[in-house]
Amino acid sequence: MSLTHPRFRAAAVQAAPAFLDLDAGIERSVALIAEAAANDARLIAFPETWLPGYPWFIWLDAPAWGLQFFPRYHDNSLEYGTPEAEKLAAAAREHGITVAMGLSERSGGSLYIAQWIIGPDGETIAQRRKLKPTHVERTVFGEGDGSDLSVYPTPLGRIGGLCCWEHLQPLSKYAMYAQDEQVHVAAWPSFSLYRGGAYALGPEVNTAASRVYAVEGGCFVVAPCATVSPEMVELLCTDDAKKAMLQPGGGFARIFGPDGQLLHEPLPEDAEGLVYADLDLGMISLAKAAADPAGHYARPDVTRLLLNKTRGDRVVPFSAPGVEVEVS
């Protein structure tokens, strides 16, 4: 009996978030979920920290200046198990679509750059956190742990995800490849920061990172990418220096095949919408026939990866023999 490979349409979001407004962001997300499903997509992927938008203020001035935005950013980040989160799960369930949401996750007094994969039944497939926030992101967000480098079996194939410059971490990428990842969600914020001054933050480098991931991993890469709206610039860029640092646009949503091929016509960088591609997971075996990085093309006798997937629990119940400890 020959294998039956999933075939389905995927959608990647290229749009500006409802910045610092969780309720409006949920409403916008539900509308995009409905639009993708109406166009026969079975997977929709959202940009990094789509809810409530990427905290660009951390890149524009001293930390003390950015603190004016932090309480609002914290309060409009998404907490799992809340009515707002349930609206997203309900939308996935209503439209029968898998949702890969990018969010600032609020947990107690801390925030995390996170991806929430919701199945078409509205149930959670995965809740992962960015393993290491990048540069000044560490003034806002906490860290994930080894359990966040995981790939999950679904009817659409084995799905995983990483955020932004996690795609520049060779060992993290290899950990995902080694778990036979077939569909990868590469979540990006926008490529309009420090234009002309930091080439590594621009679209050439970062879209290349998504494309190389597809070729290295022999997998499909769905790479949503937000835009920066004029309203966001007006709010955050209070002088000419800041306006030069953060510009409108920056949307470069892409979907790549396992051979690195771009599978759709891209949108203009200042346009909002969805890009679609039809994925046939049967293409993966052909790509990996040439190079399977964790299979026949590997040399485990020369190099191997140690992956510690232990969860980073803050409290571990412990008791002396014969003494019961109750943790609520």
Side-chain angles (χ1 to χ4, degrees):
M1 179 188 297
S2 62
L3 292 175
T4 300
H5 299 285
R7 298 183 179 184
F8 62 93
R9 175 166 289 184
V13 173
Q14 178 175 305
F19 192 60
L20 302 181
D21 188 336
L22 179 59
D23 290 336
I26 296 291
E27 183 178 340
R28 187 171 297 181
S29 302
V30 169
L32 287 167
I33 290 168
E35 179 181 343
N39 285 286
D40 299 322
R42 295 177 61 194
L43 169 69
I44 180 172
F46 287 83
E48 183 183 44
T49 59
W50 166 259
L51 300 173
Y54 186 83
W56 295 109
F57 50 85
I58 61 179
W59 295 90
L60 299 177
D61 211 316
W65 178 86
L67 284 175
Q68 65 183 299
F69 301 102
F70 185 81
R72 188 175 170 191
Y73 194 84
H74 176 275
D75 292 350
N76 282 274
S77 294
L78 182 67
E79 181 179 354
Y80 294 129
T82 59
E84 292 81 10
E86 175 52 33
K87 289 179 182 178
L88 294 175
R93 183 167 53 247
E94 177 183 353
H95 297 286
I97 187 171
T98 298
V99 176
M101 177 56 62
L103 64 143
S104 168
E105 175 199 345
R106 188 178 75 246
S107 179
S110 295
L111 301 179
Y112 301 89
I113 296 173
Q115 289 168 289
W116 182 21
I117 304 177
I118 311 167
D121 57 359
E123 297 298 316
T124 293
I125 294 172
Q127 293 172 341
R128 72 167 304 269
R129 294 169 174 172
K130 188 173 184 177
L131 199 64
K132 186 78 172 181
T134 303
H135 197 46
V136 291
E137 288 175 357
R138 296 196 282 273
T139 66
V140 175
F141 299 106
E143 299 179 345
D145 57 45
S147 69
D148 295 307
L149 294 179
S150 296
V151 175
Y152 304 89
T154 80
L156 301 181
R158 295 181 58 78
I159 297 179
L162 296 174
C163 288
C164 200
W165 268 20
E166 287 188 302
H167 296 90
L168 302 189
Q169 288 281 14
L171 299 184
S172 295
K173 292 193 297 178
Y174 192 79
M176 303 294 283
Y177 302 158
Q179 295 174 71
D180 192 25
E181 188 180 29
Q182 295 174 300
V183 180
H184 177 76
V185 178
W188 299 92
S190 171
F191 305 139
S192 61
L193 181 73
Y194 298 172
R195 279 192 165 167
Y199 190 82
L201 299 180
E204 294 85 0
V205 168
N206 294 295
T207 55
S210 293
R211 176 172 251 153
V212 168
Y213 192 103
V215 176
E216 282 186 345
C219 62
F220 289 90
V221 171
V222 182
C225 183
T227 64
V228 173
S229 68
E231 293 78 13
M232 293 165 64
V233 172
E234 182 179 358
L235 174 66
L236 297 172
C237 299
T238 53
D239 54 47
D240 289 342
K242 291 183 177 62
K243 289 177 182 177
M245 287 189 274
L246 181 66
Q247 299 176 20
F252 289 84
R254 299 289 188 269
I255 302 176
F256 295 106
D259 58 355
Q261 182 180 179
L262 180 64
L263 300 179
H264 60 89
E265 286 295 323
L267 296 170
E269 70 158 285
D270 58 350
E272 295 192 329
L274 298 169
V275 296
Y276 297 93
D278 294 316
L279 280 52
D280 177 0
L281 270 57
M283 293 176 60
I284 291 175
S285 60
L286 184 60
K288 287 194 171 182
D292 182 357
H296 66 81
Y297 203 47
R299 282 293 304 274
D301 58 318
V302 178
T303 56
R304 287 186 290 176
L305 172 67
L306 176 63
L307 174 60
N308 178 8
K309 298 185 76 170
T310 304
R311 292 191 63 85
D313 296 325
R314 269 58 174 179
V315 177
V316 179
F318 174 83
S319 63
V323 178
E324 293 186 3
V325 175
E326 183 175 327
V327 177
S328 58

